[in-house]
Amino acid sequence: MAEGLDRHSRRTASIHYLLPDPEEEEERRLAAVRRFDTLDTLPDPILDLIATSAADLLAAPVAAISVVDRNRIWFKARHGLDLHHTSHAPGLCASAIMHRTPLMLPDALQDSRAKSNPLVTGDLGIRFYLGIPLRTQDGFNIGTLCVMDHKPRTATPKQIASLVNLASVVMDHLELVISKQSANGCL
């Protein structure tokens, strides 16, 4: 019996549980962002339609499909939002990509991550934020499908589930676009 324990002890002692290096993981995530080649590109009518549908689903004035780069957030598609990009300020999309599940802020002014975000404190005056991470097939969150409102509120579980489905459609579309580009020798 002691011999079995010793073998088990030796075997488990050689296993190392290392957490990934956050900087290395961020570099891998940014490589995934670059792979999709969506920054500073022309509008995509399909993604614009999805953003409008997301806003309609929640009867909200603002929705966007964001791509989170190192220093900024690029709005690949937008509804009710005149900005093409904003700073990588904490609180909204940059916080949402840190999660595997949707991030809902019923009142962004009451959330320590978001209360200093320019979209919250500036002219847009965002209060409600719901961001669904856009996750690649290889496991990196490159952005969000997000819905915003000028007043505090919440979303129902059914609305959130519908947005999760729309986010899957966004990623399927983006994967299809890079697959076509690769097949045509554009990458």
Side-chain angles (χ1 to χ4, degrees):
M1 180 100 156
E3 181 183 322
L5 288 175
D6 288 341
R7 264 187 297 181
H8 175 71
S9 297
R10 284 192 305 265
R11 192 174 35 222
T12 57
S14 66
I15 298 174
H16 299 282
Y17 297 99
L18 299 175
L19 296 174
D21 176 37
E23 289 179 25
E24 184 178 310
E25 279 300 296
E26 179 62 2
E27 289 304 317
R28 292 176 65 208
R29 189 192 73 76
L30 290 169
V33 166
R34 287 186 299 276
R35 184 173 73 230
F36 283 90
D37 195 28
T38 56
L39 298 169
D40 301 311
T41 57
L42 294 173
D44 181 322
I46 293 171
L47 297 181
D48 286 337
L49 181 60
I50 292 171
T52 298
S53 297
D56 290 347
L57 181 67
L58 269 72
V62 181
I65 295 172
S66 71
V67 179
V68 180
D69 196 12
R70 182 182 312 275
N71 299 314
R72 67 183 171 141
I73 297 168
W74 172 256
F75 297 115
K76 177 62 180 162
R78 33 191 210 289
H79 172 87
L81 183 65
D82 289 332
L83 298 172
H84 292 282
H85 63 88
T86 188
S87 67
H88 189 281
L92 300 175
C93 298
S95 291
I97 67 162
M98 304 305 291
H99 303 271
R100 289 181 178 255
T101 57
L103 173 66
M104 183 165 53
L105 304 177
D107 186 350
L109 275 178
Q110 303 303 314
D111 188 277
S112 61
R113 295 167 293 189
K115 65 183 178 183
S116 64
N117 185 289
L119 297 178
V120 175
T121 61
D123 292 339
L124 197 55
I126 294 301
R127 294 297 173 269
F128 168 78
Y129 175 86
L130 174 57
I132 313 299
L134 298 176
R135 193 165 186 80
T136 65
Q137 291 178 354
D138 53 348
F140 295 101
N141 291 346
I142 62 168
T144 66
L145 169 62
C146 56
V147 177
M148 298 169 264
D149 203 336
H150 306 292
K151 61 183 186 233
R153 59 181 281 195
T154 61
T156 68
K158 186 174 181 178
Q159 290 171 320
I160 295 169
S162 294
L163 287 177
V164 168
N165 289 336
L166 281 176
S168 292
V169 173
V170 169
M171 288 310 300
D172 287 346
H173 176 70
L174 292 175
E175 294 280 356
L176 183 61
V177 167
I178 65 169
S179 175
K180 284 182 178 180
Q181 289 172 342
S182 180
N184 290 332
C186 294
L187 289 178

